[in-house]
Amino acid sequence: MKLRRTVRINARGKELPKFINLIHENRIECRAQYCRGEVFHGDVFRRELPEIQDIAGKCGVELKTAAYDSLGERLFRYRKRVGLLVGLVLAAFAAIYFSDVIVTIEIYGNTSVSDEVILVALAELDIKPGTPVHSVDLEKCGNRLPFLIDGVAWAGMHRTGSRIYVQIRENAPIPQKVRGRVPCNVVAAHDAEITYILAQSGFAMYRVGDFVPKGALLISGVTQSESGRTSVSHAMGEVRGIYNETVSFSAAFRSSEYNYTGRTDTQRTLRLFNLDIPLFFGSGRFESSTSEYSESPFVLFGKEFPISLRQRTLSETVRSEVVFTPEELKEKLMDKIYLYEKNFLSDTRIIDRSIEASQSDDTMTLSVSYRLEGDICRQQEVFIK
């Protein structure tokens, strides 16, 4: 494709020789010129076409023109399409810009150390999306990275285009010291009637059916030989018993709560690397609201670029005073009892439950008395002088 705007001319007439001579005299560049029959053919630049048309008029020559499909002709054709031209300029700028900056960082070899921790440490070394690649010494940064992150023994980096690859080698895990050998006894955590006892290490001090007070020694880790020598060990075992427990839950008849009004507002932001460009004017128009965020990254040919559109949805809330009836408040407290049993008594059998309600002018209290069967063990360390 030709770059410059070129026009093909065909001239016919009695004064054709005079027309050709005037073209040469006016130093008009005419390429690929030839005569076939009574027609003159040639290629001229479009900027010289008005002068050739004047010469043809003076000579009484019939002139026909046809423009070549050149790059210059196409650009001239779309000269009024500002959006297209701006897009081409931005695309060229983006291609030049992204070819010299870090766009993505890929991390390999890490298992215990998260990518987020490594990315924070890399940011301290100025290795992050948007940093010019030529300003980063990858070898030096690779040597410094293990000193910034606990658990990393070695790090290596290399670059492919605008992508930085970080290879991590972590420290070998150090075996943890087991506290299971600390000398201790097993004592009762509640006043209870023993229903099951199994001493895995140590000596059981009670039998099934015995009643034990809170703090009583259930399994002893201290032994004494016939010669009078005392030794200590880590007592272990399982002891279950039946015990009583009382828990109280209270709530006020009047409380302030935030309720949704149904009005929402959406704020969009263009995120370019670490730069947020707001696409809205002003700040939030609600005095009180909750926020929900969503982010849509720019993906091209399956590759995710550090460009995304973030959307923040604001939902207006209004603080209002709520007055509960006794029935509503009791139902609310029963929900708390349900959550308590689900979270704290899931491994315990509830033999019996009784609920007693009491209320004052502004609060209601539910006292729950449980009869439970469950684990009553509590370890107590043995201190040796």
Side-chain angles (χ1 to χ4, degrees):
M1 181 182 292
K2 298 181 180 181
L3 297 179
R4 302 181 66 177
R5 301 175 65 199
T6 309
V7 179
R8 184 69 173 173
I9 62 171
N10 296 332
R12 178 197 301 270
K14 295 181 179 180
E15 300 293 335
L16 189 59
K18 181 179 178 181
F19 171 76
I20 297 173
N21 291 333
L22 287 176
I23 289 178
H24 294 163
E25 291 176 2
N26 287 276
R27 299 185 178 278
I28 297 175
E29 185 176 356
C30 184
R31 302 180 180 184
Q33 53 181 319
Y34 64 92
C35 290
R36 179 175 295 172
E38 298 181 353
V39 180
F40 172 77
H41 304 271
D43 295 342
V44 297
F45 295 122
R46 177 172 284 278
R47 68 171 184 273
E48 296 175 339
L49 184 59
E51 187 176 356
I52 293 175
Q53 290 174 338
D54 290 341
I55 295 174
K58 293 177 182 178
C59 299
V61 171
E62 180 185 354
L63 185 67
K64 294 183 179 180
T65 62
Y68 284 100
D69 187 18
S70 62
L71 178 61
E73 187 67 29
R74 290 187 179 182
L75 293 176
F76 180 79
R77 193 182 308 152
Y78 296 114
R79 67 187 185 281
K80 294 185 178 180
R81 300 189 180 181
V82 180
L84 179 61
L85 295 178
V86 172
L88 292 174
V89 172
L90 291 178
F93 172 77
I96 296 173
Y97 177 75
F98 287 122
S99 65
D100 192 47
V101 299
I102 299 174
V103 176
T104 55
I105 300 174
E106 296 190 6
I107 303 172
Y108 300 94
N110 57 312
T111 55
S112 59
V113 182
S114 65
D115 289 353
E116 290 74 15
V117 173
I118 297 174
L119 290 174
V120 170
L122 290 173
E124 293 183 13
L125 299 174
D126 204 23
I127 298 180
K128 55 188 177 181
T131 301
V133 178
H134 63 270
S135 66
V136 177
D137 188 340
L138 296 180
E139 182 178 357
K140 182 179 179 180
C141 292
N143 294 333
R144 291 183 57 191
L145 187 61
F147 296 96
L148 300 178
I149 307 175
D150 294 334
V152 174
W154 174 87
M157 304 181 194
H158 69 275
R159 168 201 172 193
T160 301
S162 58
R163 190 185 302 270
I164 300 295
Y165 295 90
V166 182
Q167 184 69 37
I168 298 295
R169 184 183 302 161
E170 298 178 346
N171 292 325
I174 301 174
Q176 296 182 354
K177 294 182 179 180
V178 180
R179 288 182 51 85
R181 307 319 304 170
V182 175
C184 69
N185 295 322
V186 176
V187 299
H190 305 277
D191 297 335
E193 178 186 346
I194 297 176
T195 58
Y196 177 84
I197 184 168
L198 174 63
Q200 298 170 337
S201 176
F203 295 92
M205 307 301 292
Y206 293 91
R207 294 179 298 179
V208 174
D210 291 342
F211 178 84
V212 293
K214 181 178 180 181
L217 178 61
L218 300 177
I219 303 175
S220 177
V222 181
T223 59
Q224 190 171 15
S225 64
E226 294 180 356
S227 61
R229 182 179 179 182
T230 302
S231 62
V232 293
S233 63
H234 181 84
M236 292 186 301
E238 182 181 357
V239 183
R240 295 178 66 85
I242 297 174
Y243 59 95
N244 297 321
E245 185 178 80
T246 302
V247 185
S248 297
F249 302 90
S250 300
F253 284 99
R254 293 177 178 269
S255 65
S256 296
E257 297 182 356
Y258 284 93
N259 299 314
Y260 292 103
T261 64
R263 299 175 60 197
T264 60
D265 187 19
T266 302
Q267 298 177 348
R268 294 179 176 84
T269 303
L270 179 65
R271 187 171 182 81
L272 179 62
F273 295 106
N274 295 323
L275 177 64
D276 290 331
I277 304 173
L279 303 180
F280 60 92
F281 297 97
S283 57
R285 56 191 180 96
F286 303 139
E287 293 184 2
S288 175
S289 62
T290 60
S291 302
E292 291 185 1
Y293 290 89
S294 62
E295 187 167 352
S296 302
F298 175 72
V299 179
L300 182 63
F301 303 119
K303 298 295 182 181
E304 186 174 313
F305 286 79
I307 304 174
S308 60
L309 183 65
R310 300 187 68 186
Q311 180 171 300
R312 179 189 182 196
T313 303
L314 302 174
S315 300
E316 185 184 28
T317 59
V318 176
R319 185 175 182 177
S320 58
E321 188 176 83
V322 180
V323 180
F324 296 100
T325 64
E327 292 76 13
E328 292 173 341
L329 192 58
K330 186 174 182 179
E331 183 178 352
K332 186 176 180 181
L333 291 174
M334 290 298 294
D335 290 338
K336 291 185 178 182
I337 294 174
Y338 167 75
L339 292 175
Y340 172 79
E341 294 178 355
K342 181 180 179 181
N343 295 329
F344 298 100
L345 302 179
S346 58
D347 297 330
T348 303
R349 184 169 73 94
I350 300 176
I351 300 174
D352 187 28
R353 177 201 303 112
S354 62
I355 302 176
E356 182 180 349
S358 61
Q359 67 182 61
S360 61
D361 293 338
D362 56 352
T363 60
M364 174 182 286
T365 301
L366 294 184
S367 297
V368 188
S369 297
Y370 291 102
R371 186 167 177 78
L372 307 170
E373 182 186 8
D375 184 17
I376 60 172
C377 293
R378 178 171 60 86
Q379 288 188 345
Q380 186 178 68
E381 292 187 10
V382 175
F383 297 97
I384 306 173
K385 294 183 179 180

